[in-house]
Amino acid sequence: MDGEGKEVPRETARRVLQAAAVEAHGGAGVHVSHARVMERADMVDWEGFKAIAGYLERRGWIADAAADYDVFTVTKSGVDEAMK
C-alpha cells in the first residue's frame, strides 16, 4: 500500500525527502536506494516508508519508482523542496 488516503507524518516525509536528495547528491533524476534513504532518514518501518514514498510521488517530488519504491529518483521540484 502506498499510503493513499492515510495521514502521512509531514516531518518524517520531509526527513525522507531530504535524505533522498542527499543520497542523490542534490541531483534531479539520480536513482537512489530505499535502504540508503531509510538509513539516512533513521527509519526502520518499511510500510511507513512506502506510505511516505507514495505521498512524495503524488506531490511530484520523487519519480521513476520501482515496485515498492525499492529504487526511485528525486525530481527537480523534490530537490528544491528538500533544500527549503
Side-chain angles (χ1 to χ4, degrees), residues 60-80:
W61 294 336
I62 69 170
D64 302 324
D68 285 341
Y69 300 100
D70 190 43
V71 176
F72 57 91
T73 64
V74 183
T75 64
K76 168 97 172 75
S77 63
V79 171
D80 293 345

Side-chain angles (χ1 to χ4, degrees), residues 32-37 46 49-50 53 65-72:
V32 296
S33 154
H34 83 278
R36 297 279 306 177
V37 172
W46 176 237
F49 176 82
K50 291 190 294 185
D68 285 341
Y69 300 100
D70 190 43
V71 176
F72 57 91

Side-chain angles (χ1 to χ4, degrees), residues 14-79:
R14 178 164 212 58
R15 197 170 71 237
V16 168
L17 181 60
Q18 289 171 332
V22 169
E23 283 298 313
H25 301 285
V30 176
H31 284 89
V32 296
S33 154
H34 83 278
R36 297 279 306 177
V37 172
M38 285 181 70
E39 181 180 338
R40 187 174 291 277
D42 196 27
M43 281 195 77
V44 295
D45 177 13
W46 176 237
E47 292 301 318
F49 176 82
K50 291 190 294 185
I52 288 169
Y55 166 79
L56 296 174
E57 186 174 33
R58 287 189 302 279
R59 300 289 303 231
W61 294 336
I62 69 170
D64 302 324
D68 285 341
Y69 300 100
D70 190 43
V71 176
F72 57 91
T73 64
V74 183
T75 64
K76 168 97 172 75
S77 63
V79 171

Side-chain angles (χ1 to χ4, degrees), residues 2-22:
D2 70 2
E4 193 166 341
K6 288 188 172 184
E7 185 62 32
V8 172
R10 301 293 190 254
E11 185 175 316
T12 305
R14 178 164 212 58
R15 197 170 71 237
V16 168
L17 181 60
Q18 289 171 332
V22 169

